[in-house]
Amino acid sequence: MTPRAPATGAPGRWATPVALTIAGSDSGGGAGIQADLKTFQALGVYGASVITAVTAQNTLGVRAVHEIPTDVIAPQIDAVAEDLGVDGAKTGMLSSAAIVATVGDRVRRWGLQRVLVVDPVMVAKSGDRLLREDAVQALIHELLPLAEVLTPNLPEAEVLVGRTIGTEAEVRRAARDILELGPRAVIIKGGHRSGDAVDLLFDGNRFHAFSARRVETRNTHGTGCTFSAAIAAGLARGLDVVEAVGAAKAYLTAAIERAVPLGHGHGPVAHDWPLSRAPLEREGRA
Ligand code: PXL
């Protein structure tokens, strides 16, 4: 089929901006595609989804992974871009080098670079691998240069720069080095460090620190997915990167604070808090 007009960056085309997630399915509903769609809904953008892999998973871990064939991934992206258009997008679990290459090809074909958030997902909270070892170089060379914003956590940033990162100065040096790999901005997340959760954004000119009080909780499954989806939602609404990251941080922090126990492992965050005050009211805290 011949594609119709390329479809990005046309705010106002529909009454609701369209955000697209290209990611893996989490049957437990707390991470991946499911977290992304809940985040899009909560933040008032229309959510579309391209599934790259199906995981059999709950709050305790991943039991099985089925990669979707690339000849079913590319048409999913084409179908959404051609008809709905894409005002903001994110990538999450990409699993293999072939999937990374397919997604990179489609991002270029549809000109999604200016609205693309790349979450360099490598390992799940449970420790299970979500990106094959031999796909890391593909991610670095084929997808990072296409990203408007890259959102590594500390272990992912360490893989990208090939050394350990401990001090604040090392985080800043890593951000500079990661920008050399091609993304227009990088935000190194502070969730894996101690003390306040400080995320550091570098856009080539300035550093911006986004700080939130650390919430002591087990319910952190899907936080990375939720954060990158919230940034994509902000870009879809026409926010610039600094505004989108600030809004995403506020949304995620409140969602972590409002999480209620669900499952026997790392529970999900409360994606729906802007739509429902129920969790706080149940606890008599609202
Ligand atoms: O948070 C990374 C991630 C991404 N995608 C899927 C996941 C997870 C973490 O569990 O399950 C499908």
Side-chain angles (χ1 to χ4, degrees):
M1 198 196 311
T2 315
R4 285 190 282 139
T8 51
R13 179 184 24 224
W14 312 114
T16 307
V18 176
L20 171 66
T21 169
I22 303 172
S25 166
D26 168 10
S27 52
I33 287 277
Q34 288 79 4
D36 298 343
L37 290 176
K38 291 171 192 181
T39 299
F40 293 158
Q41 180 97 357
L43 295 176
V45 300
Y46 180 85
S49 59
V50 166
I51 301 187
T52 55
V54 173
T55 71
Q57 187 177 177
N58 56 26
T59 63
L60 294 166
V62 177
R63 299 179 179 195
V65 174
H66 171 69
E67 290 173 356
I68 302 300
T70 53
D71 63 359
V72 183
I73 294 175
Q76 291 182 72
I77 299 174
D78 293 348
V80 174
E82 225 173 280
D83 181 30
L84 302 167
V86 178
D87 300 308
K90 68 153 277 189
T91 63
M93 175 185 181
L94 298 176
S95 202
S96 74
I99 294 176
V100 169
T102 298
V103 170
D105 175 70
R106 267 9 203 204
V107 164
R108 271 185 269 106
R109 170 156 174 192
W110 290 105
L112 304 183
Q113 293 93 322
R114 292 288 150 192
V115 295
L116 182 68
V117 182
V118 171
D119 185 3
V121 171
M122 295 180 190
V123 178
K125 195 130 296 160
S126 52
D128 301 281
R129 273 206 89 91
L130 299 174
L131 182 72
R132 295 169 186 265
E133 192 108 44
D134 66 5
V136 172
Q137 288 306 313
L139 184 78
I140 291 174
H141 295 294
E142 296 177 44
L143 210 55
L144 263 53
L146 304 178
E148 182 68 17
V149 192
L150 184 74
T151 63
N153 58 29
L154 211 63
E156 290 159 353
E158 290 181 338
V159 170
L160 296 177
V161 298
R163 59 177 186 268
T164 57
I165 303 168
T167 66
E168 172 80 24
E170 286 168 350
V171 175
R172 286 177 180 249
R173 207 169 313 125
R176 288 188 185 280
D177 289 351
I178 290 171
L179 225 68
E180 297 286 310
L181 299 173
R184 279 162 297 284
V186 60
I187 178 156
I188 300 182
K189 297 175 287 187
H192 288 75
R193 308 180 81 203
S194 53
D196 286 350
V198 182
D199 304 331
L200 194 68
L201 173 69
F202 182 56
D203 62 9
N205 292 313
R206 290 190 51 198
F207 285 96
H208 305 259
F210 297 86
S211 185
R213 194 176 50 81
R214 179 171 301 274
V215 181
E216 288 307 329
T217 176
R218 271 166 67 76
N219 304 318
T220 52
H221 180 58
T223 47
C225 308
T226 300
F227 186 59
S228 56
I231 298 171
L235 297 181
R237 299 184 73 109
L239 302 186
D240 67 29
V241 168
V242 174
E243 293 168 336
V245 168
K249 177 86 172 169
Y251 168 70
L252 176 60
T253 302
I256 295 171
E257 283 169 353
R258 287 163 173 77
V260 292
L262 248 168
H264 297 87
H266 290 289
V269 303
H271 290 102
D272 65 335
W273 71 264
L275 307 173
S276 158
R277 287 162 50 78
L280 282 183
E281 280 157 4
R282 263 205 304 276
E283 291 168 24
R285 288 200 279 135

